[in-house]
Amino acid sequence: MKKIFLLFVVLGFFSFIEATNLHKKNNSDTISLVSVSIAPQAFFVEKIAGDTLKVNVILPSNANEHHFEFKPSIMKKLEKSDIYFTIGLEFEKVFLNKFHHNFPKLEIVNMQKNISLLDFKDSHHRNQKDPHTWLDPILVQTMAVNIYNTLIKKYPKNKDLYKKNLDQFLAELDSLNLQISSKLEKLKQREFVVYHPSWAYFSKRYHLTQIPVEILGKEPKIKDLQKLITLVKEKNIKIIFVQNGFPEKAAKTLARECDAKIFEINHLSKDWENELLRISDALKAK
Ligand SMILES: [Zn+2]
């Protein structure tokens, strides 16, 4: 009887220990938090960090990355973050200019360090650089190195893991680049129509030309739309790419007038790799 009682005491003790450990594991306060502006950046950070960090994405899905404002709830998440990785978007500049001084402990890291940015093609965006570097796998390699360099400084105890993850991710990006190249290699029609011109770096990498529907971040005026209809008919382009969170009226009119198909893409998807493959396949199939 005494022995059985003792066994229960011992078992009880062990389950108590286990419960405490479990509690520690589930307590998210023990895992450091870092913030990023858009979901593809979260995909990149998680590739390097594994599950050693939690990543907070500032831009909600289905939002337009160029028309977004900081809300108090976002500020709270930033306050809890060790690092904020920026990617050259307008709303980040507002944060850096106005609110940054309220977060003395928050380390700001430009994820686009060592990347030479392209100018926006249309002449109205004077002195503005094109931020959409995250859609080119080779530029993402530079960003991955930037993430790695930042994380090993902040969390040196994870250096070996981060190095292993970095090497693996760089290899994956090489293979993704080769896959996309071979899909697009023999494409005859190298011009494509897309609502929001976020594909300049992708186009440059794979020798394509994007023709935007949007003008200066807005729906085109009737006159501009008519010009575009003529151009698309002339070039016999049969697919119009549109993005979540952006207006579709002009794109739909264009598709109808030119007997083209609408194809929805998401340049802000966290399922980043598949999204690049999906647009490559769509370009190939058109
Ligand atoms: Zn954009």
Side-chain angles (χ1 to χ4, degrees), residues 64-66 89 120 131-132 134 196-198 246 267:
N64 174 334
E65 73 270 22
H66 305 286
L89 294 167
F120 260 120
H132 305 94
W134 66 89
H196 175 63
S198 50
F246 289 82
H267 63 301

Side-chain angles (χ1 to χ4, degrees), residues 4 105 185 194 242 255 269:
I4 291 171
K105 282 186 198 153
E185 204 173 40
V194 60
V242 296
S269 173

Side-chain angles (χ1 to χ4, degrees), residues 19-35:
T20 329
N21 278 341
L22 218 67
H23 175 73
K24 264 190 201 154
K25 258 192 196 162
N26 287 339
N27 187 348
S28 60
D29 286 348
T30 57
I31 300 179
S32 299
L33 183 70
V34 303
S35 285

